[in-house]
Amino acid sequence: MQTNPVLVESAVVFSVVMCVHMAVWNQHSWCCVALVIQAFYVQHKWDRLLRNGNAVFQWRLSANSGIVPAVMVMPLLGVALREKCAASGNVYFERFSMVVTVTGMMLALFLSLLALGITRPVPTNTCVIAGVASSAILYTVKQTLTVSEVIEVLEVLLIFVYLSLIVLYLLPRCFTPGEALLIVGGISFIVNQLIKRSLNMAEVKGEPVHYFLPVVVVGSLLLGVFFALLFCFMESETWVSSLFFHMMTAVLGLGILMPWLSLLIRRHPIMWLLDFVTLNDKRLCLLGYWVLLATLATLVVLHQNYQRQSGSKKHQASTVVRKYFHLIVVATFVPGLVYDRQLLHVASVGCLGAFLLLEYVRYFRIRPLGQLLRQLLTLFLDERDSGPLILTHIYLLLGMSLPIWLFPGPCAPKGILPGAGGLVPYAGVLAVGVGDTVASVFGSSMGEIRWPGTKKTVEGTATSVFAQIIAVAIFLIFDPTINLNSTYSWIVSSITMVAMLEAYTSQIDNLLLPLYLFILLLL
C-alpha cells in the first residue's frame, strides 16, 4: 500500500500543534487543535478539486493545496509569541500576539468556507466538522478579544479578500491555496498595521529599524498592482513605457514612501540610514563583505549562463548549483547574526525591495534590463516556478529573514531569549541554509532509500538533521549570547520534525520550514 505524502505532512503538522498545546495551555491552543482537524478535512476536498481541474483560480501545478501546514503558521506563531510576552510582562505585545492568533484563525476559516462553497457536491461531513471548529473558535474570540481588537481582525480579513482577488487574478499558477494564504495573509496584516500606526502618529513607538519592512512591502505592493493593471492596456516593452515605469517608481519612492517613512521615524530616512550604516567600523566591514558575496553570486549566474550559451540551449542549473546560493546566503547571514542583527535587519529589507523591483523589471520586460534578467534567471527555474513570476530567490531571502523580522525584541530581556529561544534568529539559517541544502545535495547524489510516496531520501533527511546539529554547536562557539540551558533534546526534536516536514511537503519549503522551526524554538 503506497503512503500518501499529504497524510504524513498533516501528521507532522499535527505533532507540532500538539507540542505547542503541551507547552502552552490556554484556550487558543485548544482552538489550534480544532483548527488543524477541520483543515485536514478541507484540504482533502480542495485537493480533489485541484486534481479534477475544478478550482476557481489557476493554482500552482504539481502540488497539493497545502491547507494544513499553511493555516497553522499564524495561529501557532501568535500562541508562541503570547507565551514569551506574558512571561516578560509586556501586556501590549501580549494582546498583539492574541490578535495575530485570532487573525490567522479567521483567515483559515475564510479559506475553508471558500473551499467548501465551491465543492460539488457539498461535503456534508466536512461542513459539520468545520462548523463545530468555527463555533469553538468564534466563541473563544468573543471571550478573549476586545471590540477594537475584533475590528482590527476584520480589517485584516477585508484587506485579505480584496488582495486575494487581485493577486490570484493577475498571477495565475504562482501559488497553491496554502501559499496564497501565507503570502497574501502576511501582506494584509502588514498593510493593516502600517495604516493603523500611520493614523495614530502620537502613539507610534519602537525602533526606526522596524518601520522599513512595512513601508517597503506596501510600496512594492502598490507599484506591482498599479503597473499590472496599467500594462493590461498598453505595451510594456517600449522605451516610452520603460521611461514611464522608472518615473513612476521614483515618484512613489521619493514623493510618497520617503515622506511617509519620515513621519513614522521622525527623521529624514536617508540621513538616518547614513548615520545608521556609518555608526562604527564593524558595520562598514560587514557591508564590504556583503558586497563581495553579492559580486560572487552575480559571477555564478553569469558563469552558468555562459555554459548554457556555449553548450546545449536546454541546459538547466543542477540542484547542486542552485544550492550554491544557499551557501552564499548562509555566509551572508551568519556574520550579521553574530555581530550586528540590526544592520542585517535593514540590509535584508533593502534586498527584498531590490529583488521585488528587479522582478517587476523582468516580468514587464522593462528596458534596458528586462529581457536580460529574463534570460539570466530562466536558467535557475524549477517545477515550482510554473507561473509568470520567478520567486525562488525571493522565497530564499524571506526564509532566511523572517526569523529576524519576527524576533520578539520587546519581549526579550536584553535582546536575547533564554534556552532554545537563543537560536530563534538562526531558524532560517538552520532550516533553509543548512538543512534544506544538505538534504538536497546528499539526497540527490548519494540517497538510495526514498521516503514512501516522495522523491526525497532517508539519507538526505538524516544528513540534514546531523548538519543542523553541527551548525548549532558552531553557533554556540561564535555567539556568546546563546545559552541553551539543557534544552538540547527539544532542539533535536524540533529540527527532526521540521526535517520530516521538508521530506513530505510539496509547498515552498524555503518559506514554510523556517516558520515552523521558529515556532518550535520559541516555545
Side-chain angles (χ1 to χ4, degrees):
M1 182 179 178
Q2 188 175 5
T3 303
N4 187 348
V6 177
L7 294 178
V8 181
E9 177 190 51
S10 301
V12 175
V13 175
F14 187 77
S15 300
V16 175
V17 173
M18 294 308 297
C19 288
V20 174
H21 181 64
M22 289 185 291
V24 182
W25 192 275
N26 59 39
Q27 60 270 54
H28 285 150
S29 57
W30 279 108
C31 288
C32 289
V33 176
L35 186 65
V36 73
I37 293 173
Q38 73 92 28
F40 174 78
Y41 283 90
V42 171
Q43 173 163 333
H44 173 71
K45 302 302 177 184
W46 208 323
D47 286 345
R48 189 178 67 185
L49 284 173
L50 295 179
R51 287 193 300 268
N52 296 336
N54 296 327
V56 176
F57 293 102
Q58 298 182 55
W59 303 101
R60 185 165 65 85
L61 305 175
S62 68
N64 60 57
S65 61
I67 298 298
V68 172
V71 302
M72 298 312 302
V73 168
M74 192 177 291
L76 293 179
L77 179 63
V79 169
L81 288 174
R82 180 189 176 187
E83 180 69 11
K84 287 299 177 185
C85 294
S88 65
N90 193 320
V91 178
Y92 175 80
F93 278 94
E94 182 182 356
R95 301 297 305 181
F96 176 76
S97 302
M98 293 174 63
V99 172
V100 173
T101 301
V102 175
T103 300
M105 291 180 179
M106 296 305 295
L107 294 180
L109 292 178
F110 171 79
L111 201 66
S112 300
L113 182 64
L114 178 64
L116 296 175
I118 62 177
T119 304
R120 295 291 181 272
V122 177
T124 305
N125 294 336
T126 305
C127 289
V128 171
I129 294 172
V132 172
S134 302
S135 300
I137 292 171
L138 292 175
Y139 177 78
T140 304
V141 170
K142 177 179 177 296
Q143 297 296 318
T144 56
L145 295 189
T146 63
V147 174
S148 61
E149 291 169 341
V150 171
I151 293 174
E152 185 175 351
V153 172
L154 295 177
E155 290 170 350
V156 177
L157 183 59
L158 183 63
I159 296 172
F160 175 79
V161 171
Y162 284 107
L163 281 184
S164 297
L165 295 175
I166 294 172
V167 171
L168 297 178
Y169 174 76
L170 296 176
L171 303 173
R173 303 184 308 280
C174 286
F175 311 105
T176 66
E179 292 163 3
L181 173 66
L182 274 178
I183 296 168
V184 180
I187 293 174
S188 303
F189 195 86
I190 290 175
V191 170
N192 182 69
Q193 287 298 310
L194 183 60
I195 294 174
K196 175 185 173 182
R197 296 186 183 188
S198 300
L199 295 176
N200 297 280
M201 295 299 300
E203 300 178 6
V204 169
K205 298 179 182 179
E207 293 288 335
V209 170
H210 299 141
Y211 293 105
F212 276 81
L213 178 62
V215 171
V216 166
V217 169
V218 172
S220 302
L221 177 67
L222 293 175
L223 187 68
V225 172
F226 174 77
F227 282 108
L229 295 175
L230 178 66
F231 289 140
C232 288
F233 305 99
M234 63 182 293
E235 182 64 41
S236 64
E237 300 180 41
T238 64
W239 279 107
V240 174
S241 297
S242 300
L243 179 62
F244 183 68
F245 175 88
H246 294 300
M247 288 179 59
M248 289 304 299
T249 302
V251 169
L252 177 66
L254 299 177
I256 299 177
L257 298 184
M258 197 75 72
W260 195 353
L261 185 57
S262 179
L263 289 174
L264 289 171
I265 67 175
R266 295 184 173 87
R267 280 195 64 185
H268 193 282
I270 295 180
M271 299 306 298
W272 178 88
L273 188 61
L274 288 174
D275 292 339
F276 178 80
V277 169
T278 59
L279 181 64
N280 52 50
D281 293 338
K282 181 172 61 178
R283 289 187 171 178
L284 295 175
C285 291
L286 276 174
L287 287 174
Y289 171 69
W290 290 338
V291 169
L292 289 177
L293 291 178
T295 305
L296 176 61
T298 304
L299 292 176
V300 171
V301 173
L302 295 176
H303 175 69
Q304 290 297 314
N305 276 271
Y306 174 77
Q307 286 188 333
R308 177 172 63 176
Q309 293 173 2
S310 60
S312 171
K313 292 185 179 180
K314 295 183 179 180
H315 172 72
Q316 285 293 115
S318 64
T319 301
V320 175
V321 172
R322 284 198 294 267
K323 297 308 175 183
Y324 286 164
F325 296 100
H326 286 235
L327 296 178
I328 292 174
V329 173
V330 169
T332 301
F333 272 73
V334 171
L337 287 168
V338 173
Y339 296 111
D340 200 325
R341 294 180 186 176
Q342 280 199 328
L343 179 64
L344 182 61
H345 187 289
V346 173
S348 58
V349 172
C351 284
L352 176 64
F355 279 6
L356 291 174
L357 180 61
L358 290 175
E359 180 56 23
Y360 290 150
V361 170
R362 185 207 65 83
Y363 175 69
F364 295 121
R365 293 186 174 91
I366 301 298
R367 295 187 178 189
L369 297 177
Q371 191 60 37
L372 176 63
L373 288 173
R374 186 173 288 264
Q375 294 174 357
L376 292 176
L377 294 180
T378 51
L379 175 64
F380 300 94
L381 293 177
D382 59 16
E383 68 278 1
R384 298 180 182 183
D385 291 308
S386 57
L389 296 183
I390 299 178
L391 299 172
T392 304
H393 57 298
I394 298 177
Y395 285 139
L396 176 60
L397 176 64
L398 286 175
M400 302 290 284
S401 303
L402 281 172
I404 302 169
W405 298 342
L406 296 174
F407 182 79
C411 302
K414 299 181 180 179
I416 57 175
L417 293 173
L423 292 172
V424 161
Y426 292 88
V429 175
L430 289 172
V432 175
V434 177
D436 183 47
T437 302
V438 171
S440 297
V441 172
F442 280 83
S444 60
S445 59
M446 297 187 297
E448 296 182 359
I449 306 173
R450 299 192 182 278
W451 289 107
T454 74
K455 297 180 180 180
K456 306 294 180 66
T457 63
V458 176
E459 293 88 346
T461 303
T463 52
S464 168
V465 173
F466 290 141
Q468 291 180 73
I469 294 173
I470 294 172
V472 170
I474 295 174
F475 297 154
L476 283 172
I477 296 173
F478 289 98
D479 191 343
T481 62
I482 301 176
N483 183 12
L484 299 184
N485 296 331
S486 303
T487 56
Y488 304 103
S489 59
W490 179 259
I491 293 171
V492 173
S493 300
S494 301
I495 289 173
T496 303
M497 280 193 286
V498 173
M500 288 300 301
L501 183 61
E502 187 274 337
Y504 276 94
T505 188
S506 62
Q507 307 303 298
I508 299 295
D509 48 9
N510 287 352
L511 188 64
L512 200 63
L513 303 183
L515 291 171
Y516 271 97
L517 187 58
F518 179 92
I519 291 166
L520 289 169
L521 294 177
L522 198 59
L523 295 175

